[in-house]
Amino acid sequence: MRGHIGLVTGASSGLGVECAKALAIGGADVVLAARRGERLQTLAGEMRKEYGVRVLPIAADITVEADLERIISHSVAQLGEIDILVNNAGIAPTGRAERISRQVWDDAIALNLTAPMFLSQKIAARLIERGKPGRIINITSVLGQGASAVYRLAPYTASKAGLANLTRQLAVEWAQYGINVNAISPGWIPTEATEGGIAKPGNREKMESLTPLGRLGLPEEIRGAVIFLASAAGSYVTGSVLAVDGGYTAW
Ligand SMILES: NC(=O)c1ccc[n+]([C@@H]2O[C@H](COP(=O)([O-])OP(=O)(O)OC[C@H]3O[C@@H](n4cnc5c(N)ncnc54)[C@H](OP(=O)(O)O)[C@@H]3O)[C@@H](O)[C@H]2O)c1
């Protein structure tokens, strides 16, 4: 991936940190985007030292249109054209479907589905204009394939299912321009988003029993899939949803 420039959203914690490191391990320069800028600064410093690539932290809210424009213009000015995009930022609000508010629903759709769509659109439009190929990786979820057996997660399961099928649609539309669009569908992995729920009595055991490998994932276990889909190794792969889930969706 040397000579390529990757953007990872939600790079201030959890799987986003691992996606960013995966691109850096592959040799790409990396733009880190999330709202908590100080965390991005710290990670950028660590990554520059460890991987010897250029890293640009940008504090931004990707549900805000002006922030999407700013991420792109700043990246282009500082590093060059973004040609690898990892749409990772996401939220999973819990609540009973019969009571969930319109605001909670709208916020989840805005971050999990609308932001990846328009960030992908903006970056792909620039690549198409310049005749450059690219890669887009959407982080969906096993819960984009089926309902949760553990939590009440209507906005999450609906938005992640939407993101999985958006992946296929964009892959088909942009194949002619050499832009491969794929998704990674993680299973249960402890992060800031999931730790609290995993710690509740009985939940870890239930999640483990639903997973053929019999354990939760480690955040760094996402790296291999990111490297595969972002690099030359994945050149003939587009429109796929790659499960990194310990077999959760296999039965
Ligand atoms: N962990 C799992 O078990 C699991 C399983 C399946 C799928 N996933 C998916 O993996 C992705 C990462 O999840 P995670 O577990 O790593 O959760 P996490 O640690 O909570 O990370 C979520 C990231 O999204 C960022 N974010 C939230 N709102 C944002 C906004 N408006 N603008 C920009 N960035 C925003 C957060 O940063 P700031 O707060 O700094 O903005 C944070 O970096 C999500 O899409 C999630 O659905 C996770």
Side-chain angles (χ1 to χ4, degrees):
M1 290 179 237
R2 218 159 277 286
H4 295 275
I5 296 162
L7 163 62
V8 179
T9 67
S12 61
S13 65
L15 303 186
V17 171
E18 300 302 327
C19 292
K21 288 183 176 175
L23 298 183
I25 288 166
D29 295 320
V30 186
V31 182
L32 310 171
R35 292 165 303 177
R36 289 170 292 178
E38 60 309 327
R39 283 197 180 211
L40 300 180
Q41 295 280 358
T42 307
L43 177 63
E46 289 167 8
M47 285 176 57
R48 287 183 198 113
K49 214 156 116 192
E50 192 166 351
Y51 305 114
V53 298
R54 297 183 297 165
V55 185
L56 178 65
I58 304 179
D61 180 339
I62 62 162
T63 62
V64 175
E65 173 77 13
D67 278 21
L68 298 185
E69 296 290 353
R70 184 167 54 81
I71 291 169
I72 293 170
S73 59
H74 199 46
S75 303
V76 170
Q78 298 285 315
L79 299 181
E81 209 63 52
I82 295 162
D83 59 359
I84 302 170
L85 167 63
V86 183
N87 283 308
N88 163 78
I91 44 168
T94 51
R96 305 173 75 91
E98 68 272 24
R99 287 194 210 140
I100 210 137
S101 72
R102 181 65 79 105
Q103 191 62 52
V104 168
W105 174 269
D106 286 348
D107 288 349
I109 300 294
L111 183 64
N112 296 357
L113 187 54
T114 309
M117 168 61 202
F118 287 97
L119 199 48
S120 299
Q121 180 196 65
K122 287 175 197 303
I123 288 170
R126 294 183 64 97
L127 293 172
I128 292 166
E129 221 177 279
R130 289 161 180 76
K132 285 190 72 180
R135 300 291 173 90
I136 297 174
I137 301 168
N138 295 321
I139 307 298
T140 57
S141 168
V142 292
L143 301 181
Q145 249 172 278
S148 172
V150 182
Y151 300 120
R152 295 166 191 271
L153 278 171
Y156 186 73
T157 51
S159 58
K160 291 296 187 178
L163 186 58
N165 218 32
L166 178 66
T167 300
R168 299 182 187 101
Q169 186 67 35
L170 298 182
V172 169
E173 293 194 24
W174 294 341
Q176 63 185 306
Y177 305 115
I179 300 171
N180 294 19
V181 187
N182 292 288
I184 296 171
S185 163
W188 298 104
I189 301 176
T191 63
E192 274 175 35
T194 55
E195 270 162 4
I198 291 168
K200 287 193 181 140
N203 275 0
R204 175 182 279 272
E205 293 70 23
K206 190 162 186 191
M207 290 165 184
E208 287 174 347
S209 72
L210 289 166
T211 306
L213 285 184
R215 64 172 177 85
L216 307 186
L218 300 169
E220 57 269 31
E221 288 183 303
I222 196 99
R223 290 184 188 178
V226 174
I227 292 172
F228 170 56
L229 293 174
S231 71
S235 55
Y236 198 55
V237 182
T238 198
S240 73
V241 179
L242 175 56
V244 179
D245 66 356
Y248 182 94
T249 46
W251 54 18

